Amino acid sequence: MSRPNLPLNLLPNAPIAKKQPHTLNTHNKSRTDNYYWMRDDERQSKAVLEHLKAENTYCDEQLAPMKPLQNTLFEELKARIVKDDNTVPVKDGKYWYHSEVRGDDEYSRHYRSTSMSADDKQLLLDVNKIAAGYEFFELGEVALSSCEQLMAYSEDTEGRRIYVVRFKNLETGEMLADVLENTEGQIVWANDNKTVFYVKKDLQTLLGYQVFRHQLGSDQSQDVLVYEEQDSSFFMGLGKSRDESLIIIDLATTETNDTWVLDANKPNGEFKALMPREEGHEFDVDKLGDIFYIVTNWQAKNFRLMTATSQTIADKTQWLEHTAHRDDVLLEGVELFNDYLVLSEREQGQARFVVVDQHNNRMALDFADPCYYAAVAMNPEPNVQTARIYYSSLTTPGSLYDVDLKTGFKTLLKQQKVVGDFNADDYQSERLTITARDGTKVPASIVYRKECFNKDGTNPLFQYGYGAYGYTIDPSFSSTSLSLLDRGFVYVIAHVRGSEMLGREWYEQGKKEHKQNSFNDFIDVTKALVAQGYCDSSKVFASGGSAGGLLMGAVVNQAPELYCGVGCHVPFLDVLTTMLDESIPLTTNEYDEWGNPNDPCFYDVIEAYSPYDNISAQNYPNMLVTTGLHDSQVQYWEPMKWVAKMRELKTDNNILVFKTDMDAGHGGASGRFKSLEEKALEMAFFITLVNKP
């Protein structure tokens, strides 16, 4: 697409934001933010909404030549999805549960039956019906009472992850009058089939901080507060123990966990702390029978598995070691069965499972691909001899297996069907190790279509990254990526520091004062792939969302010359200002991740890389920036301000467009087909730039 050789702010119709200086003073340092006015917590400001609409109009105008390709890609992506599909039934109690989608339906229907064949299926919930009339709809959690005749479900109709809970009598099909508002979306039933517990949100910070008890048949105003967390740095969640004997309140910061429990048979009792809260102690605990199982970092950076009883759980010194700490193996979790444990582990970046029987005999489950994703799937009943495992790789569609826990034999129950002429043998995946500038070996997972790739420096490359919160982006199959691979793109995931790909140390070396390592790793992976002939240096593209959007923002400031185009989605860009403002949702929870800039040391650390604060007068790549007006995690004004400042300072005439979904939140558009439009938009953006004369 040809463009006039003019500064972008002189191009026709480019929205130019007004500059209204706002001074921010911290630690005797002063910053001027000309676009601070764009923040509107109520999302009602006429000036803000008009500017967002102007940006959307400009985006549509600039990308109009790409619209036919976007439509082609959307139909391509949609055509690969099986229109009539269903999940594999899973047994829980007396019934087998599954869901189905049909035709052009955006959402699922949920059923149960008395056998796996589902011949007598009963409709529990048609999400298409309850979502009708809403621009955005997300089904939160579905929870059944112990008697399996009462169902609670939660729904979000704005995209802010504020859920309403509703109830249904499955015997009569009637909706109950009970409605619970402003919740986190989780519902836990006590064993009396008439009492539920839920977490209520602070509507200012959007943090769940109170647990309430609700009695069916009563108004929410009569609900009883049973726990309130005073420390706003903790996230709060609810669950039930594996043996369903305990209702559990899970509290977690980035570096500390706490757990409170209540006898599920005595819902009117009091929650008690399972053990003393200890700063820096991270753990996950579950219970089966008389034994507590604790995955803990106590004297174990990569975690170990300990056991305890109700008499010893409060005293760590009395715990017994089940699986020891290992310097080269990260213990990620454990699934409890009556006769077995299934350990989820990670070694050299690769996930694996180890089955442990009652005699401590251990059996590892092996997979063949050079890089893959695997996870324990739904296993609601502990008294079974098989476990469901989900598996996928960059070339293998998602697959569900039943694994015999005695022999390790895997039975394929279902593999994701890719409609069309897809053949896994046409594609090749690789796991590379890239040496970063400080000598650290950084893993990278790569996939390409064999017939389109010659490793001669001619292919376009799409590089994805995240690198925060210890969250690992495993290499898994995506039918949408085929549209890029089939057009000659090489797709790579850069497993930068900040994840737990290579263990806990890998995470710690990509957070707080070490955050710059994440950006260096991403940049150095790009440089290495260019040098090794995986791609054409003029056809490199990058994308990331949320904390991955921060990664993109930092990378384009520090190495803009490497990238032809960048996708930056629901991005965390104004790190310093946000982390100094405790009124913004989730800020206090983030101190353990980024550091607290109220401390002068961390102020300087964050200021050095914060994407918004480091925009300079230089050339930048072509950029597509997206957000949701109702995003509750990264506020819309962060990318809005960033784009405005970028327009002011950038010295090139490359494309910079900003699109706001006026109905969606952090997760983007809802529905299985509508969300594909966003993917098609970015793909069309990149492909057009590749083919630009």
Side-chain angles (χ1 to χ4, degrees), residues 87-245:
T87 62
V88 177
V90 59
K91 189 175 185 296
D92 187 6
K94 295 181 294 185
Y95 298 95
W96 294 77
Y97 294 85
H98 77 284
S99 62
E100 299 178 3
V101 287
R102 292 287 177 264
D104 291 326
D105 286 348
E106 292 280 3
Y107 303 97
S108 298
R109 294 175 176 82
H110 295 262
Y111 296 91
R112 72 179 180 187
S113 57
T114 57
S115 67
M116 190 172 181
S117 64
D119 292 334
D120 60 344
K121 65 185 182 183
Q122 173 193 4
L123 177 64
L124 306 180
L125 195 65
D126 184 346
V127 183
N128 296 283
K129 284 187 177 180
I130 60 177
Y134 294 108
E135 288 295 326
F136 177 92
F137 186 90
E138 180 185 17
L139 180 67
E141 186 171 287
V142 178
L144 271 70
S145 62
S146 299
C147 66
E148 300 181 78
Q149 296 308 317
L150 297 169
M151 178 180 69
Y153 67 89
S154 57
E155 59 185 32
D156 172 15
T157 57
E158 290 187 351
R160 301 206 78 203
R161 300 183 180 178
I162 302 174
Y163 294 87
V164 174
V165 177
R166 305 187 189 279
F167 297 85
K168 184 177 182 179
N169 185 318
L170 298 181
E171 284 188 307
T172 65
E174 298 292 324
M175 295 297 298
L176 305 187
D178 304 64
V179 176
L180 309 178
E181 297 183 335
N182 302 328
T183 83
E184 281 278 9
Q186 298 167 309
I187 319 103
V188 176
W189 289 86
N191 292 342
D192 64 356
N193 299 303
K194 61 183 180 181
T195 306
V196 296
F197 294 84
Y198 64 94
V199 176
K200 200 166 187 178
K201 282 199 169 189
D202 181 320
L203 296 183
Q204 175 63 34
T205 65
L206 298 186
L207 292 173
Y209 73 113
Q210 295 175 321
V211 178
F212 280 86
R213 181 177 65 232
H214 175 77
Q215 198 90 7
L216 286 186
S218 65
D219 188 80
Q220 187 178 12
S221 63
Q222 299 176 311
D223 291 354
V224 178
L225 176 66
V226 295
Y227 181 86
E228 182 169 354
E229 178 53 47
Q230 301 298 325
D231 188 338
S232 61
S233 66
F234 279 85
F235 288 104
M236 178 183 288
L238 278 179
K240 215 168 185 181
S241 61
R242 181 69 160 155
D243 60 9
E244 300 193 348
S245 68

Side-chain angles (χ1 to χ4, degrees), residues 61-74:
E61 290 173 351
Q62 295 301 302
L63 302 188
M66 306 178 191
K67 191 65 176 178
L69 175 59
Q70 182 187 346
N71 292 338
T72 297
L73 288 164
F74 173 72

Side-chain angles (χ1 to χ4, degrees), residues 391-410:
Y391 176 82
S392 174
S393 76
L394 292 172
T395 59
T396 307
S399 308
L400 189 66
Y401 290 91
D402 257 348
V403 178
D404 187 305
L405 294 174
K406 182 177 181 179
T407 66
F409 182 78
K410 297 188 286 287

Side-chain angles (χ1 to χ4, degrees), residues 16-50:
I16 305 302
K18 67 179 180 181
K19 295 169 66 173
Q20 187 172 311
H22 179 86
T23 302
L24 299 162
N25 294 301
T26 311
H27 307 309
N28 296 317
K29 294 184 177 182
S30 179
R31 292 179 296 136
T32 299
D33 185 350
N34 291 321
Y35 305 105
Y36 190 87
W37 65 268
M38 291 180 170
R39 174 179 175 178
D40 172 31
D41 291 351
E42 302 302 319
R43 292 158 172 79
Q44 299 294 325
S45 165
K46 182 179 179 181
V48 168
L49 295 176
E50 285 182 350

